[in-house]
Structure formats: structure tokens, C-alpha cells
Amino acid sequence: MELWLVCALLTVVLYGLGEGLSKEPTVRLGPGRMLALYSLYSVPIYAGWFLLGGGSGSLTETGVAFGVASALCGTVGNMLWFMAMESGEASVVSGFTAAYPVVTVIAAVVGLGATLLPLQILSIALLVGATFLLGWADGAPKDSASRAWLAPMILAVLLWGAWGVFEKLAIASVGFAGNAGIYVIVSTPMMLALGWRESRRRGPVDRADIRAAQPTLFLFAVAGITIFLAIGLGPLAVVVPLTTAYPVVAILFRRYWMEEEMTRAQKLAVGLALVGAALVSL
């Protein structure tokens, strides 16, 4: 099995477990403080990668521009995702993320000249279809107030779609270490500022809530590394749709660990995603 595929599958597992645990701490802490705490996990990882990997020696003007664009799209997209997660149903919000690979795949084929084999096209269709099915299996929330999640989620989808392309271009220009340094410099002040603003608005935070968020934050931080490697090493138009199958893991986690029931639609979605993932590995 190729290294990019191993990294992509690890990303699915890590993001899935993190998403399965994220709803309650996000509601208690707020999206801004969750991102600020996430940045505290990310800084030593990415800064160490940049320094130990000699990232400063690979920087170019074009590469830095791609890296900054990638960091901005990814960070703002994550902010909007946490906002959507706070105000919407976790299953619906997670399922809506299936739309962003479509943006990335179109950009990769049209803008980067990527080519797809028929088996890869089938795999992408299965993965995206499975994630959509997971998100809408239980129906959208009925009260109008819950629609507050929709606008930030649409913007997040567009930004994440652009992020995948800029990330690939940045890694190709400045390498993994160089891109890691750009990411931490651009994203950390934004996340900390958002957390500070939210703390002023919502008041002091309970330490118990911070402790409860640690598993989610750790899983997301490690997944940030594995998806970083998968995008840099593998075909962008395949890696991105594959990694968005993480709601499958979240559903299975909630089913077997939290003993939630699975609907028929969810079972079908899990089956489609497993077939799609298996086709990618062929």
C-alpha cells in the first residue's frame, strides 16, 4: 500500500473519531475557543517540522503566496465549520462536507491538468455519495432557527475546495517543511484572536470543558499532519474525496462506542464508503 494512501486512511480514522467526540465540547466552549485550543496543539508540531526540516531554505515568493492562500482558506473554513457544528445537527453538518471535494476535483482536473481513471471516478462517486447520504439520512432540522448552520457551511465548502488546490501547489513549491511554517505563522494568530474574542463574549471557561475537549483536539491535530502528507504525496483528485469519508468512522464510533442506533440509510452509506475506499487502493 502506498504511503499517501496510508496517510489518507489514517486521516479518515482520526478525523472520524474526532468528529464523533466534537459536538459537546464545541457547544460548551464555542468554535472560537476550540480553534484556539487546536492551535496550541498545532504550533509545536508545525513549527518543529519547519525548523527541523529546514523549511526556510525552500521558500520562494510564489510558494509563500500559495502557502498563505492555503492557510487562509483552511483556517477560515475550519472557523466556519465549527460555527456550523455549534448551531446545527452534527450528522447534517458532517454530511454537507461531502460537497467540498467536488470543488477540489473540478479545480484539479481543470486547473492542474489532473487525469482520472474510470475506477477512480467510480470510487470518488461512491465516497461523495456515501458522505451525502450520511449527512441527510436523518433529515434536516425542522425549526427555522437551526438553519443558522447553512451559510457558514456553504462558505466553508467553497474555502475547503480552494484549500486543497492551494495546499498541493504550496507543497510542490516549498516542500512539506516550508508549507508547515507558513501555515503556523498565518493560522495561529487568527485562531488565538478568535478564541480571545469569544472568551470576552462568553465569559470564563470551565476547566472541565477544556479537559473534555482534549481527545478531539489531539485527534484533529494528528489528522492535520496525515492529510498534509496525503495531499503532498498522492493524487489530489483522489485524496480529498477519500479523506472526506471520515463521517463513516464517526457514525460507526457513535454506534458501537456510544451505542447509538444506525438507520438503514446510514448502513448503506457505510457500505458505499467501504467499497469506495477499497477501489482507491486497487
Side-chain angles (χ1 to χ4, degrees):
M1 187 179 293
E2 295 185 52
L3 182 57
W4 71 264
L5 182 55
V6 174
C7 292
L9 293 175
L10 279 174
T11 301
V12 171
V13 173
L14 294 168
Y15 271 142
L17 294 176
E19 191 276 336
L21 296 168
S22 68
K23 175 65 178 180
E24 185 174 348
T26 300
V27 170
R28 289 179 177 273
L29 292 171
R33 290 191 291 211
M34 281 290 285
L35 278 167
L37 290 170
Y38 169 76
S39 72
L40 297 180
Y41 271 93
S42 300
V43 167
I45 295 172
Y46 288 104
W49 198 347
F50 177 75
L51 295 172
L52 297 176
S56 60
S58 62
L59 298 181
T60 64
E61 290 185 4
T62 302
V64 169
F66 286 142
V68 170
S70 170
L72 286 173
C73 289
T75 302
V76 177
N78 288 339
M79 290 178 180
L80 292 167
W81 182 84
F82 273 110
M83 290 173 60
M85 183 64 72
E86 183 186 31
S87 58
E89 291 187 3
S91 61
V92 177
V93 173
S94 296
F96 205 83
T97 61
Y100 101 80
V102 177
V103 179
T104 304
V105 169
I106 292 173
V109 173
V110 176
L112 303 181
T115 57
L116 295 172
L117 299 174
L119 197 61
Q120 292 174 322
I121 295 174
L122 176 60
S123 173
I124 291 169
L126 290 172
L127 291 166
V128 173
T131 313
F132 266 124
L133 188 56
L134 282 175
W136 295 101
D138 298 322
K142 294 180 175 57
D143 58 347
S144 59
S146 64
R147 292 291 184 178
W149 64 272
L150 187 58
M153 195 65 244
I154 290 174
L155 290 174
V157 164
L158 295 175
L159 288 170
W160 280 343
W163 162 80
V165 176
F166 286 129
E167 185 83 343
K168 184 72 173 181
L169 293 170
I171 293 172
S173 298
V174 299
F176 290 106
N179 192 46
I182 297 170
Y183 171 80
V184 77
I185 290 172
V186 173
S187 66
T188 303
M190 297 173 62
M191 294 183 188
L192 293 178
L194 191 65
W196 175 77
R197 178 177 177 274
E198 191 166 70
S199 291
R200 291 190 62 186
R201 179 171 58 88
R202 299 181 61 153
V205 63
D206 191 329
R207 291 186 178 182
D209 293 336
I210 294 178
R211 289 194 296 270
Q214 297 307 303
T216 294
L217 296 168
F218 174 77
L219 290 166
F220 282 171
V222 178
I225 300 172
T226 56
I227 194 172
F228 195 32
L229 292 170
I231 287 176
L233 297 172
L236 180 65
V238 177
V239 169
V240 170
L242 175 58
T243 54
T244 53
Y246 71 86
V248 171
V249 176
I251 289 290
L252 292 174
F253 173 77
R254 287 193 288 263
R255 169 65 181 89
Y256 292 105
W257 184 261
M258 300 181 179
E259 298 184 351
E260 292 185 1
E261 292 297 324
M262 292 178 66
T263 65
R264 289 183 180 179
Q266 289 174 332
K267 292 177 182 178
L268 174 60
V270 169
L272 291 175
L274 292 175
V275 173
L279 290 177
V280 169
S281 64
L282 296 178

